[in-house]
């Protein structure tokens, strides 16, 4: 059983508490730190916390606390992690780990030097659809992964600090792109180094200093491409979609916006529908189990089991640091309008990979480019001569199925 101190009593802290008290049941949030006394008191009353305070260190250091969960604004993550390291308290931290890779690396090193457990709360890498897709990719169902794309777009975050570039460290790219980078990285292979990024980012609608829309390409050392699309100006709810393409197959995932649950209501008596929903009337797209569908249940189960069993979780502080490094390069690219290198002074994956090629022999003299049955009934092959490089077509006789 974990006795958890929640740092932050806002939107994400409450989401986490719902999951923590609902999935494994035996884990309890027993303490709450919030910057405002009224927030701490209300959270304590709602979730049965015996301990509440506006003193972060006092909550972390409380002798009954066995695990600290950071659900604070981005600019407070580092200070909270350093206090956990000081008091030797296991810690899990919401995304993004840091505002920059340097900040994230400092946090990772503090946790490792203190010998405490550190888990990166990247919930979308624990959603049921993602886990099933990742299992298929790892089993080889898609062959060699060539391209992984992730999209998150919605009308913008709930709390005021997200819109403040100094507190948040960035805009929608840091807020949403952290999910997308780690999703693509998981499909391509976490041990494959991301090498450079090309990014476009702009402030299209919102009166803020940070970006509200961004698109980027991430090159990996083995030739694979990651892609993300993020926006705080999308209208119509929260759009979470992933695509993975390999040499032997493709996966499409729609996590949230269109999930097979559709409802029409006049709005009479309607209340909360789903995160980032913009209306509670008309045609709506509710989510069956929002906490579970967004990955929180599987995430905390993995975190706490990993801590209790003395092993690394699927998402670690190291992963959060790599994500921050990719996003740093994306921000540099958005300014320079050039491909920018991903700076990873600490890299624990494979070294010296080169772009893989998959060539299929048709016969001793030709590679197979494509085989198809055309609309006019031809069984057609497109081949490349291994010596001359010439592209040729060849028709095969159609075979009829045997009848009995």
């Amino acid at each position: 059983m974990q006795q958890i101190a929640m740092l932050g009593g806002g939107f994400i802290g409450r989401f986490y508490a719902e999951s923590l008290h609902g999935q494994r049941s035996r884990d309890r949030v027993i303490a709450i730190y919030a910057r405002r006394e009224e927030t701490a008191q209300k959270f304590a009353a709602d979730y049965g916390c015996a301990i509440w305070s506006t003193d972060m260190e006092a909550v972390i250091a409380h002798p009954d606390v066995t695990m600290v969960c950071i659900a604070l604004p981005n600019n407070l993550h580092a200070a909270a992690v350093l206090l956990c390291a000081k008091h030797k308290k296991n810690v899990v931290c919401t995304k993004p780990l840091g505002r920059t890779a340097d900040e994230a690396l400092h946090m990772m090193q503090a946790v490792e030097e203190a010998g405490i457990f550190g888990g990166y709360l990247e919930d979308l890498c624990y959603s049921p659809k993602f886990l099933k897709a990742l299992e298929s990719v790892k089993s080889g169902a898609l062959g060699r992964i060539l391209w992984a794309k992730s999209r998150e777009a919605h009308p913008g975050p709930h709390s005021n600090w997200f819109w403040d570039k100094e507190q948040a460290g960035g805009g929608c790219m840091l807020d949403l792109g952290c999910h997308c980078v780690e999703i693509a990285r998981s499909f391509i292979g976490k041990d494959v180094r991301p090498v450079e990024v090309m990014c476009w980012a702009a402030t299209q609608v919102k009166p803020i200093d940070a970006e509200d829309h961004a698109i980027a390409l991430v090159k990996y050392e083995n030739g694979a491409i990651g892609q993300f699309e993020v926006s705080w100006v999308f209208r119509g709810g929260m759009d979470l979609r992933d695509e993975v393409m390999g040499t032997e197959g493709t996966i499409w995932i729609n996590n949230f916006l269109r999930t097979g649950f559709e409802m029409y209501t006049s709005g009479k008596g309607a209340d909360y529908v789903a995160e980032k929903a913009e209306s509670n009337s008309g045609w709506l797209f509710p989510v069956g189990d929002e906490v579970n569908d967004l990955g929180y249940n599987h995430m905390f189960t993995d975190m706490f089991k990993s801590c209790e069993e003395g092993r690394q979780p699927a998402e670690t502080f190291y992963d959060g640091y790599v994500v921050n490094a990719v996003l740093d390069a994306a921000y540099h690219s958005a300014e320079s309008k050039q491909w920018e290198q991903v700076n990873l002074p600490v890299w624990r994956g494979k070294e010296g990979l080169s772009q893989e090629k998959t060539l299929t022999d048709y016969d001793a003299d030709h590679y197979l480019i494509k085989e198809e049955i055309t609309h006019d009934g031809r069984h057609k092959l497109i081949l490349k001569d291994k010596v001359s490089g010439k592209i040729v077509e060849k028709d095969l006789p159609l075979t009829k199925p045997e009848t009995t």
Side-chain angles (χ1 to χ4, degrees), residues 1-2 24 26-27 117 303-311:
M1 172 182 176
Q2 295 292 338
R24 298 210 317 170
R26 65 182 183 270
D27 305 304
F117 177 87
M303 291 295 163
F304 296 163
K305 286 186 67 177
S306 298
C307 181
E308 290 161 5
E309 295 171 5
R311 59 178 173 82

Side-chain angles (χ1 to χ4, degrees), residues 52-299:
W52 66 267
S53 178
T54 57
D55 183 335
M56 186 193 299
E57 185 166 10
V59 170
I60 291 171
H62 196 283
D64 291 343
V65 170
T66 63
M67 175 73 72
V68 175
C69 181
I70 300 172
L72 293 167
N74 298 345
N75 62 314
L76 301 178
H77 291 185
V81 167
L82 293 180
L83 284 173
C84 291
K86 174 183 175 181
H87 293 283
K88 304 293 185 180
K89 292 296 177 80
N90 297 322
V91 58
V92 290
C93 182
T94 192
K95 61 79 196 172
L97 186 59
R99 290 172 293 176
T100 65
D102 285 345
E103 192 171 73
L105 181 59
H106 182 48
M107 295 159 67
M108 180 190 85
Q109 290 171 334
V111 164
E112 292 180 351
E113 289 169 8
I116 58 175
F117 177 87
Y120 178 49
L121 298 181
E122 177 42 79
D123 59 289
L124 293 185
C125 287
Y126 288 95
S127 71
K129 291 177 183 176
F130 172 84
L131 292 175
K132 183 65 175 178
L134 186 61
E135 180 183 331
S136 296
V137 167
K138 287 185 174 180
S139 73
L142 271 61
R144 178 166 59 88
I145 301 303
L146 306 171
W147 172 67
K149 170 186 170 183
S150 184
R151 169 182 171 84
E152 181 169 0
H154 57 59
H158 303 283
S159 300
N160 60 340
W161 66 263
F162 280 97
W163 305 93
D164 183 328
K165 187 176 180 180
E166 176 59 29
Q167 291 186 74
C172 65
M173 194 148 58
L174 195 61
D175 178 35
L176 310 181
C178 59
H179 289 304
C180 300
V181 168
E182 187 66 350
I183 287 168
R185 181 171 167 255
S186 297
F187 286 130
I188 291 168
K190 287 187 180 183
D191 56 353
V192 181
R193 183 193 288 266
V195 291
E196 56 181 346
V197 181
M198 170 62 79
C199 178
W200 167 89
T203 309
Q204 293 188 310
V205 175
K206 306 295 184 181
I208 58 174
D209 295 329
E211 76 288 348
D212 61 17
H213 200 163
I215 301 169
L217 297 176
V218 183
K219 285 184 186 177
Y220 285 79
E221 196 173 36
N222 66 350
I225 288 287
Q227 179 178 343
F228 68 74
E229 301 173 0
V230 293
S231 180
W232 279 350
V233 299
F234 174 79
R235 304 307 303 269
M238 183 158 70
D239 186 13
L240 300 177
R241 283 180 283 160
D242 305 322
E243 300 179 34
V244 194
M245 182 181 74
T247 55
E248 303 298 329
T250 301
I251 290 174
W252 294 345
I253 303 173
N254 191 329
N255 278 304
F256 213 78
L257 192 61
R258 301 299 292 270
T259 61
F261 185 173
E262 302 183 18
M263 174 179 73
Y264 178 85
T265 175
S266 66
K268 184 177 181 180
D271 196 3
Y272 181 83
V273 177
E275 184 181 347
K276 308 298 190 304
E278 292 200 88
S279 174
N280 61 2
S281 64
W283 278 107
L284 306 175
F285 310 101
V287 180
D289 184 345
E290 192 167 352
V291 168
N292 188 63
D293 289 349
L294 287 173
Y296 296 123
N297 289 343
H298 294 291
M299 176 178 71

